[in-house]
Structure formats: structure tokens, C-alpha cells
Amino acid sequence: MSVPCVRVPREEGEATRKRLAERDVVSDLHEIDVVDGDIYIPLAADADLAALREEFEVVDREATERETQTLPEDILGFEPSYERLGDIVIVDEDDAERATAITDALIASDIPVETVVNRASPIEGELRVREWDVLAGDDTETVHREYGCAFELDIERVYFSPRLATERRRVIEQVESGEQFFDMFAGVGPFVIPAAKRGAECVGVDLNEAAIEYLERNAERNKVGSRVTAIHGDVREVEGYDDWADRIVMNLPHSADEFLETAVELAGDDSVLHYYDIQHDSDPFGPGEAAIRAAAEPEYDVSVETQREVRSYAPHELNVCLDVRLTR
Ligand code: SAM
């Protein structure tokens, strides 16, 4: 079977493998092969190929399958859908018998898994946390790796979505060293930590005390503690950052419009706002743009630089992002 592989000269093989492993994109299912002085490192099925192609040579190749790997589908006879967050596997099954069968197969497979959980509620409340049925194991705390950063978190106490990795990377690639970066709803730091790694001075605020504890630990774990200020509280009540931010991230999509007045207070003379929203697919960007203009004009010129569909949220509902420049 043809698999995308990163090709590098043999002498760069180990360093490249380490860089790819840090991002958790090396396939567990295929061997690393050496052919004619080049090393071929196979990539995982969920690797972001577009982002990797910007840094590496990616080629399709008949990679050698690892014979020892047993996957859940080999045991079940069908391919279950699941997400991995560190060593936690998340399934989304309504049928209890099917959930148990998938759990048993995951545990018996060669996938590194400590805990299996099933979604037991929607994401709820101000803190945007979900309830889980723990089907195997008991530890809901893990360390998840994303694009070279490590995030410690407990899925029972904080919000975290591995599905947003590509979108976060898109934003982080715009961050410049030395800029002042303010995340109004920071969670455990999936925007703040990589922004600090790029050299930004970062402030992350969250109402969830557990998220702020993890954000502080993640700043230390990723060696960016000196560039990260973590603040527990309602972002509307945080003082001392008026006129401060070069870049503001607002990832609270159902109610971000209620926080635009605060965002405008935080903005400096020339700031970029990354505004996440959930809207009907008939007009996914219009309401967000109107709300931003209502809050920022006439003090600021408002220019929409990017309109991006992040993912489908529900039938006819889209999760979108507007990148908006505010110029005083
Ligand atoms: N940015 C993180 C991420 O991408 O994983 C977390 C996003 S999560 C959708 C929204 C976060 O906003 C939650 O962690 C929640 O606790 C926090 N939050 C909700 N209301 C808040 C408020 N008034 N002030 C600060 N944080 C708030």
C-alpha cells in the first residue's frame, strides 16, 4: 500500500525522525526504510501533509508494513472511528455493546492506550467541559503532543480538541518574534505555548482554574515560562493590558461577540484579531464581521484579512474564523 513518507539523506535520518516524532506524525504501522542513501520515514494517516510539505520532501511510496502490529480493525472485522489524545482514546458510540467491543479491541491492539473514554454529554457550560464514560483504565490525565509542543491536561477538567491542530498551526504561523500575543480564552495553552515558542510575549486568560494550572505547567514543560503570563479569571475583569495586544485570539465560538468590547480595549494601534464563530452556512461570516465593526468602529479601521471555514459543526452550522486587522 502506498504511504506518504518524508525522504531525507541517510545522515539526516535520525534528526528528522526525532522532529517528526515530536509532532506525533510518524506512522506506527510501517517500517522506516533505507534505499540508495535515502531514508524514508512513513507518516501517520492523520498527519497534516500540507504543513509537512512546507518543511520536508514528502513522497508516496510502497512502505513495508510492520508485521507485529495488530490494529483494532484486525480484531473487530470493521474499522472503528476514534480520536487519540496522548494515551487516551476517545470513542463516540451510542450503542453500549459496540463501545465495549471497540474498547476491548483497542486494549488488545498494539495502539499505545492507557484509557478509553466515550462521550457522555455535549461540551457544556462556561468552562466548555464534557462528561465522559470511562470504559477502560482510570487516568483521564495525559500528555498530548502537537507540532512539537507537549500539552498536559485532564479531559474531565478542561477543554481540549485535537481536531483543531491544523487551524491552530495556521494562526501560529502568522506569529512574529517579539509580538504581544493575548489569548482571551486560553485553555491549557494550545495557542499560547506555540506562540511563545515563536518568540511572542504571551498572556493567556481562562475562567477555568484547572486550565490555568495546566497552562502554567505546560509553559514550563515547553521551556517558555519566561514568555507566558497565565491569568485565572473572567477576561472582562483583567486589568493592565489596555492598548497592549498585537494579536488577540478569541476561541469561544458560541459567545465571542459578548467579549468584543474587551477585545477592542486590549487592541493596540495595529492588531490582528482571530475571531472564532459558529454560524449558519447561509451566511457564516456576516454576523461576526458586523459584530466586530459595531464594537471597533469608528475608533479603528476594520479590515477582514481571511475568512476561513474551520470545520462543520452541525448540519448547516459551520465553525469559522475571521482574521481581522484593527488599525487605529
Ligand atoms: N483556546 C483553548 C483551545 O483552543 O483549546 C480553549 C478554548 S475553549 C473553546 C474556551 C475556553 O474559554 C474554556 O477553557 C473556558 O473555560 C474559557 N472561558 C469561558 N468564559 C470565559 C471568560 N469569561 N473569561 C475567560 N475565559 C473564559
Side-chain angles (χ1 to χ4, degrees):
M1 187 184 144
S2 174
V3 177
C5 297
V6 166
R7 175 164 67 189
V8 283
R10 190 184 197 134
E11 53 280 12
E12 292 168 29
E14 183 49 19
T16 307
R17 188 200 63 75
K18 273 195 187 151
R19 280 170 68 200
L20 294 168
E22 274 177 6
R23 297 179 194 190
D24 216 7
V25 294
V26 179
S27 167
D28 306 329
L29 311 180
H30 301 91
E31 301 286 357
I32 295 177
D33 288 330
V34 186
V35 182
D36 294 337
D38 282 333
I39 288 201
Y40 292 84
I41 304 168
L43 297 172
D46 59 356
D48 181 348
L49 296 181
L52 289 167
R53 281 201 171 94
E54 288 175 16
E55 273 180 74
F56 302 97
E57 185 189 6
V58 178
V59 295
D60 282 327
R61 163 163 205 285
E62 295 299 313
T64 315
E65 282 188 29
R66 283 206 175 154
E67 288 187 0
T68 51
Q69 284 276 346
T70 304
L71 294 176
E73 47 267 45
D74 301 330
I75 298 164
L76 290 164
F78 64 88
E79 201 169 330
S81 82
Y82 55 86
E83 278 179 88
R84 284 167 64 181
L85 193 59
D87 56 14
I88 299 175
V89 174
I90 300 170
V91 298
D92 187 9
E93 295 294 334
D94 292 333
D95 181 314
E97 249 177 62
R98 191 177 146 103
T100 305
I102 294 172
T103 302
D104 292 347
L106 282 159
I107 298 293
S109 77
D110 287 320
I111 290 180
V113 47
E114 288 296 322
T115 306
V116 181
V117 295
N118 197 4
R119 291 183 171 90
S121 79
I123 287 179
E124 288 170 323
E126 277 190 312
L127 306 187
R128 312 306 297 144
V129 179
R130 193 194 282 284
E131 283 177 25
W132 304 95
D133 281 335
V134 180
L135 303 177
D138 55 14
D139 193 358
T140 51
E141 190 176 61
T142 192
V143 178
H144 180 69
R145 290 188 164 65
E146 185 175 292
Y147 290 115
C149 297
F151 300 104
E152 191 180 334
L153 62 114
D154 185 332
I155 55 168
E156 288 199 317
R157 300 176 69 203
V158 299
Y159 173 94
F160 191 93
S161 173
R163 291 187 196 169
L164 297 178
T166 309
E167 168 58 18
R168 288 194 273 261
R169 173 151 174 110
R170 183 188 74 79
V171 169
I172 294 308
E173 281 174 347
Q174 300 172 43
V175 172
E176 286 172 16
S177 180
E179 74 172 42
Q180 300 190 159
F181 181 103
F182 198 108
D183 189 341
M184 293 173 66
F185 312 106
V188 304
F191 286 98
V192 165
I193 302 296
K197 274 201 160 187
R198 282 177 76 97
E201 272 311 308
C202 299
V203 176
V205 181
D206 206 288
L207 199 53
N208 182 347
E209 194 166 7
I212 289 300
E213 282 165 19
Y214 282 114
L215 172 55
E216 284 169 347
R217 272 193 243 169
N218 289 329
E220 293 309 321
R221 178 183 279 274
N222 292 277
K223 302 190 172 50
V224 289
S226 63
R227 285 200 292 281
V228 172
T229 303
I231 301 174
H232 170 227
D234 184 328
V235 68
R236 289 169 292 204
E237 286 161 21
V238 170
E239 292 178 355
Y241 292 95
D242 281 9
D243 243 357
W244 183 86
D246 299 315
R247 189 178 303 279
I248 301 168
V249 176
M250 298 182 75
N251 184 17
L252 186 64
H254 286 285
S255 44
D257 57 337
E258 295 165 24
F259 294 82
L260 277 166
E261 210 176 295
T262 303
V264 170
E265 283 166 13
L266 294 167
D269 287 345
D270 183 26
S271 301
V272 175
L273 184 64
H274 302 281
Y275 179 88
Y276 290 89
D277 203 1
I278 288 175
Q279 292 292 344
H280 196 269
D281 60 8
S282 58
D283 184 16
F285 302 104
E289 180 175 344
I292 295 166
R293 286 192 186 282
E297 288 174 342
E299 183 185 356
Y300 284 95
D301 275 343
V302 173
S303 148
V304 178
E305 298 194 330
T306 312
Q307 295 183 329
R308 184 173 153 82
E309 287 181 16
V310 177
R311 60 176 167 165
S312 159
Y313 181 75
H316 295 294
E317 279 195 292
L318 293 174
N319 180 189
V320 298
C321 182
L322 288 151
D323 295 347
V324 177
R325 186 170 291 277
L326 305 180
T327 315
R328 197 177 255 132

